[in-house]
Amino acid sequence: MAIEMIKAGMQATIQDRGRFGYQKYGVNVNGAMDEGSARVANLLVGNAEDMPVLELTLAGAVLKFTEEHLIAICGGNMSPYMNNAGVAMWQPIVVKKGSILSFAHYVSGCRVYIAIAGGIKIPQVLGSYSTNVRGQLGGYSGRQLRNGDVLEINEVEEKSRSFKLWQKLKSSEGANFSAQLFAMAPEDYVTIRYIPGPEYHLLTPESKRAWMNGTWRIDAQSDRMGYRLQGEALELKENREMISEGTVHGLIQLPANGQPIVLLSDRQTTGGYPRIAVVAAVDIPMFGQLKPGDAIRFVSVTMEEAEHLLLEYEQDMAMLKAAMTLKCSS
């Protein structure tokens, strides 16, 4: 069982939920930029949430399935077509042998995730399937996917949830089951919630107002390592020498030019810029669907509020997992 990358598109990699426990050795965490969409895609095909998925950026990718497969497409809407006919997102789909999946044009979002029942057959490196392009490890030979690459897919065991779901869908039972509640609706701007960081108090009063009331746009010089924000330059009340410390997902640093940087999946392991904020964990996946030029407004929340939001999010994810378990066993 295999999938051929006829066209890899702009930036295609294999990702999972990240590589943890090695930052102290200088190894990046990596992982899906929109972890929520990757997890949902895996659940929809009966996989464990941390199985490797395809992460495709914008439109242009074309895939060929050499055998019949059970897949789910989640994340941004890049107009997926199967054999030149529109195909549904956010639900499990049985793909026939020889089918061609293509992504025609951008509608909303930035990245799409494809999970395949059984998972992509690659070895774990330091406990993760994720691609570390800078370190050239994990994923598919430690690099972005290229035209002509062939991805081997693990066989699906007959006792697995994936196999039972596959058979139900082939007999047309429950073919319209979806998880649309996790889709991000397009807006003029996206509201991101944050917790003030350790050096937030060093911002001047004018900069605090600019940060909280301004509209920030994603700079073109942004990537999986970090998103640079364009807006009114922020200033500190005093210059302070910073000792480099470990970074966390969603940390917002303020470099000397006054334009904040949001650290994301491929972030460096340490940093020494002032830490003015940390994105609430529940909102970090939104950055995976933002592209250069998209607008953001920030809203402050307390640590307790951020924890409550994350618990609600994880409860929704748990409900989806329970629903898929019931569907596979009924």
Side-chain angles (χ1 to χ4, degrees):
M1 301 176 71
I3 297 175
E4 180 183 353
M5 302 295 296
I6 297 177
K7 292 183 179 179
M10 181 181 295
Q11 186 183 59
T13 58
I14 297 172
Q15 300 292 342
D16 60 12
R17 298 184 67 181
R19 180 173 288 105
F20 297 96
Y22 297 94
Q23 278 190 269
K24 60 185 176 182
Y25 303 116
V27 180
N28 311 80
V29 174
N30 309 121
M33 284 282 283
D34 179 357
E35 185 192 51
S37 292
R39 291 171 66 185
V40 171
N42 267 322
L43 289 175
L44 287 174
V45 297
N47 287 346
E49 296 174 53
D50 57 355
M51 291 295 287
V53 297
L54 281 174
E55 179 183 270
L56 309 177
T57 305
L58 295 175
V62 180
L63 290 68
K64 180 178 181 180
F65 296 86
T66 62
E67 300 291 339
E68 181 179 276
H69 288 279
L70 174 64
I71 71 168
I73 306 168
C74 296
N77 186 353
M78 306 301 158
S79 302
Y81 281 80
M82 191 73 69
N83 301 326
N84 299 317
V87 62
M89 296 181 61
W90 300 96
Q91 66 182 52
I93 304 164
V94 176
V95 179
K96 295 182 179 179
K97 179 180 179 179
S99 293
I100 303 292
L101 173 63
S102 60
F103 295 87
H105 59 273
Y106 158 84
V107 176
S108 64
C110 181
R111 291 176 176 84
V112 65
Y113 294 86
I114 304 175
I116 306 98
I120 303 167
K121 191 175 183 179
I122 56 172
Q124 283 191 331
V125 178
L126 299 179
S128 172
Y129 301 103
S130 284
T131 307
N132 183 330
V133 175
R134 287 181 173 85
Q136 297 183 351
L137 57 87
Y140 189 98
S141 300
R143 62 170 173 79
Q144 293 183 24
L145 296 171
R146 302 170 184 162
N147 298 351
D149 284 343
V150 177
L151 307 178
E152 297 294 329
I153 307 300
N154 291 311
E155 294 289 336
V156 177
E157 298 180 0
E158 291 191 15
K159 296 181 179 180
S160 68
R161 289 180 296 177
S162 295
F163 184 84
K164 294 175 182 177
L165 177 61
W166 198 332
Q167 300 309 305
K168 286 178 178 290
L169 290 173
K170 288 177 69 174
S171 62
S172 300
E173 294 182 33
N176 61 349
F177 181 84
S178 68
Q180 193 65 37
L181 67 119
F182 285 96
M184 189 177 79
E187 300 179 21
D188 293 333
Y189 64 88
V190 173
T191 299
I192 298 293
R193 291 160 289 197
Y194 74 93
I195 302 162
E199 284 74 53
Y200 179 79
H201 68 283
L202 293 179
L203 290 173
T204 64
E206 295 79 13
S207 290
K208 287 181 180 178
R209 286 193 290 270
W211 169 251
M212 293 185 291
N213 300 328
T215 298
W216 299 85
R217 293 193 179 275
I218 307 297
D219 188 89
Q221 301 300 315
S222 298
D223 55 21
R224 283 177 48 90
M225 186 174 182
Y227 273 18
R228 298 176 181 271
L229 305 181
Q230 292 179 332
E232 182 178 335
L234 304 182
E235 296 181 350
L236 301 178
K237 290 182 289 188
E238 59 181 76
N239 292 324
R240 178 178 293 187
E241 290 292 329
M242 300 288 298
I243 298 174
S244 291
E245 296 187 19
T247 62
V248 297
H249 206 180
L251 179 66
I252 302 179
Q253 295 184 321
L254 185 65
N257 65 4
Q259 302 296 307
I261 302 173
V262 184
L263 302 188
L264 298 170
S265 296
D266 288 357
R267 63 193 178 278
Q268 70 273 26
T269 57
T270 61
Y273 290 129
R275 303 154 295 177
I276 62 171
V278 181
V279 177
V282 71
D283 286 346
I284 292 175
M286 289 188 185
F287 281 95
Q289 298 303 340
L290 296 175
K291 62 188 184 306
D294 284 346
I296 298 173
R297 290 183 183 175
F298 289 96
V299 174
S300 178
V301 295
T302 65
M303 181 71 76
E304 291 73 19
E305 288 171 327
E307 289 175 345
H308 180 71
L309 290 167
L310 182 59
L311 284 173
E312 288 184 334
Y313 178 84
E314 290 298 335
Q315 285 171 358
D316 288 341
M317 196 71 74
M319 288 177 63
L320 172 61
K321 186 174 183 178
M324 292 306 301
T325 301
L326 287 173
K327 181 166 285 292
C328 295
S329 61
S330 60

